[in-house]
Amino acid sequence: MVKIGDKVRFLNAVGGGIVRKFVNKEVVSVEEEDGFETPVLIKECVVITPAGEVTAAAQAKAGKDPVVELDRPVVVREVKGGDELNVLLAYLPEDNRKLDQGKFDCYLINDSNYWVMFSYMSKEGSGWKVRYTGAAQPNQKIHLETFGKAELNELERVCVQLIAFKRDKVFEQKLPASVEIRLDTVKFYKLHCFASNAYFDEEALIYPIVKKDVAQQAVKIAHTKIEKALQEKLSVDVLPVKPAKPLTIRNGVIEIDLHIDELLDSTTGMDNSHILEYQLDVFRKTLAEYRNKKGQRIVFIHGKGDGVLRNALLNELKRNYKQYGSQDASFREYGYGATMVTIK
């Protein structure tokens, strides 16, 4: 139920603001960023910050550190099966008809009977930048931020660190979690990548952080196992490989995803230089396969990241494939994360 003071966004239109008053039983007056109040149907309002809650962003703007108030009495209604910890990240477009122009909302979903204290961060250079820190009540969704296409490129790698507990009662301990996720930013420009889900009426990109008490991240190989693999001189050539097939062929354009987890089932025994060489080898073999198809356009998806793979591809094209045309692929389709090569 929408209340006075709630921060809302509009369901079927761009914009949002603070609910200032009820016009009637079906309409509220929403004060937008420009200071003007707009009458909006209550059913067209989505609450992103309930009245009385102060977001980390607002506190930062006021020059204050984000503060989590845990001393206020809160009535918690537990649900059956909720004692297994399930925490997720969700990304929703504000307007799914304008993915290349609009903004996106990020939410943390606490689908459990536990309180969750957490920090949401993004990779920045060799370190991490905190984007939101706070506490999620049991069975609650928290709006973390709204961002546009310019900020999207800061979110290729995000991390959620959390601890779970219950207030005023005995509970089973859950392990703290620190989960890193590589977001495929290309998906944010493809409507079919947003799917129906159990948490929102709208379609969303959902990333599990903790599922049934288990942190969802790549299994870390023990140091002793890595040493053993190196001693056995494990070769890149004998690693289990996924077929390097196009993700899709649309309007005659071939797409190849060069992210290493799309090419290999395992990178055990490989360092960064081995990984880069493998990605370049896929690039070279793809161009060799289509060298006789003049006019063929091939999009290589490399992501933005630190730009290492992109720069390596451009150097390869400059040195060994001068006869081919190359350019940044469509920003609308791929953001900054892809290069298109035309066979000539």
Side-chain angles (χ1 to χ4, degrees):
M1 178 64 69
V2 174
K3 305 184 295 299
I4 293 175
D6 285 349
K7 182 177 180 181
V8 300
R9 68 173 177 84
F10 302 145
L11 181 60
N12 294 312
V14 176
I18 307 297
V19 176
R20 294 305 183 192
K21 62 183 178 183
F22 284 84
V23 177
N24 53 46
K25 291 183 179 180
E26 297 182 346
V27 178
V28 291
S29 180
V30 177
E31 181 183 341
E32 299 191 63
E33 290 184 358
D34 57 11
F36 291 96
E37 294 189 13
T38 304
V40 184
L41 288 171
I42 294 175
K43 65 181 182 180
E44 294 294 317
C45 294
V46 178
V47 177
I48 57 177
T49 305
E53 286 193 10
V54 182
T55 66
Q59 292 175 356
K61 187 175 181 181
K64 300 178 181 179
D65 292 328
V67 176
V68 179
E69 295 185 24
L70 296 176
D71 55 349
R72 292 183 301 172
V74 176
V75 177
V76 174
R77 180 177 296 176
E78 297 192 346
V79 299
K80 185 178 181 180
D83 279 350
E84 285 188 324
L85 189 62
N86 291 285
V87 181
L88 312 94
L89 275 181
Y91 296 92
L92 291 77
E94 287 194 344
D95 187 346
N96 58 20
R97 296 164 297 183
K98 299 179 180 178
L99 294 182
D100 60 324
Q101 302 174 19
K103 295 186 176 182
F104 301 89
D105 290 309
C106 175
Y107 291 84
L108 182 122
I109 303 167
N110 177 18
D111 187 10
S112 75
N113 293 334
Y114 281 75
W115 285 75
V116 173
M117 292 193 67
F118 69 95
S119 291
Y120 170 62
M121 299 168 280
S122 60
K123 185 73 172 177
E124 189 168 288
S126 59
W128 293 88
K129 172 185 176 182
V130 173
R131 306 183 74 88
Y132 190 103
T133 184
Q137 297 179 24
N139 304 296
Q140 182 188 36
K141 296 177 291 190
I142 290 186
H143 181 260
L144 305 184
E145 63 175 340
T146 300
F147 57 89
K149 60 183 181 183
E151 296 89 352
L152 179 59
N153 292 289
E154 301 175 6
L155 297 172
E156 279 207 341
R157 290 179 62 188
V158 297
C159 176
V160 175
Q161 295 182 332
L162 62 86
I163 58 172
F165 60 95
K166 289 189 178 183
R167 295 173 57 183
D168 305 321
K169 64 188 306 182
V170 176
F171 61 91
E172 178 186 351
Q173 283 192 341
K174 306 294 183 181
L175 291 175
S178 180
V179 177
E180 295 182 27
I181 297 174
R182 180 184 64 79
L183 297 183
D184 186 350
T185 55
V186 173
K187 290 183 177 180
F188 285 76
Y189 297 94
K190 297 182 178 181
L191 185 58
H192 69 270
C193 291
F194 294 87
S196 300
N197 58 89
Y199 303 102
F200 300 92
D201 293 332
E202 306 94 331
E203 295 179 332
L205 282 170
I206 304 290
Y207 293 89
I209 303 300
V210 178
K211 184 177 182 180
K212 294 184 177 180
D213 293 336
V214 179
Q216 300 298 292
Q217 57 187 6
V219 177
K220 294 183 178 179
I221 308 300
H223 180 67
T224 53
K225 291 186 179 181
I226 294 176
E227 281 190 345
K228 182 179 179 182
L230 291 175
Q231 289 169 0
E232 294 173 352
K233 296 182 179 180
L234 180 62
S235 168
V236 172
D237 295 333
V238 300
L239 288 172
V241 179
K242 298 177 181 178
K245 295 182 179 179
L247 294 178
T248 56
I249 301 179
R250 294 184 297 165
N251 299 321
V253 179
I254 296 170
E255 294 179 357
I256 300 289
D257 195 333
L258 293 178
H259 286 106
I260 196 62
D261 54 0
E262 294 294 332
L263 302 176
L264 293 176
D265 291 320
S266 171
T267 57
T268 304
M270 299 175 69
D271 60 20
N272 289 339
S273 63
H274 288 138
I275 290 173
L276 178 60
E277 185 57 34
Y278 189 89
Q279 291 168 312
L280 290 175
D281 191 49
V282 172
F283 170 75
R284 298 182 192 113
K285 288 179 178 177
T286 301
L287 291 182
E289 181 180 352
Y290 293 96
R291 63 181 180 275
N292 295 323
K293 292 194 66 174
K294 295 188 183 299
Q296 178 65 60
R297 291 174 294 167
I298 307 172
V299 171
F300 293 96
I301 301 172
H302 46 66
K304 183 172 179 290
D306 298 325
V308 175
L309 178 56
R310 178 179 182 273
N311 290 334
L313 294 187
L314 295 180
N315 287 335
E316 278 282 322
L317 288 166
K318 185 177 180 180
R319 289 198 310 267
N320 303 318
Y321 303 95
K322 294 180 181 179
Q323 72 275 29
Y324 296 159
S326 64
Q327 65 188 74
D328 289 337
S330 167
F331 177 84
R332 179 173 183 176
E333 293 291 331
Y334 306 100
Y336 294 106
T339 296
M340 184 170 71
V341 177
T342 304
I343 305 296
K344 294 184 178 180

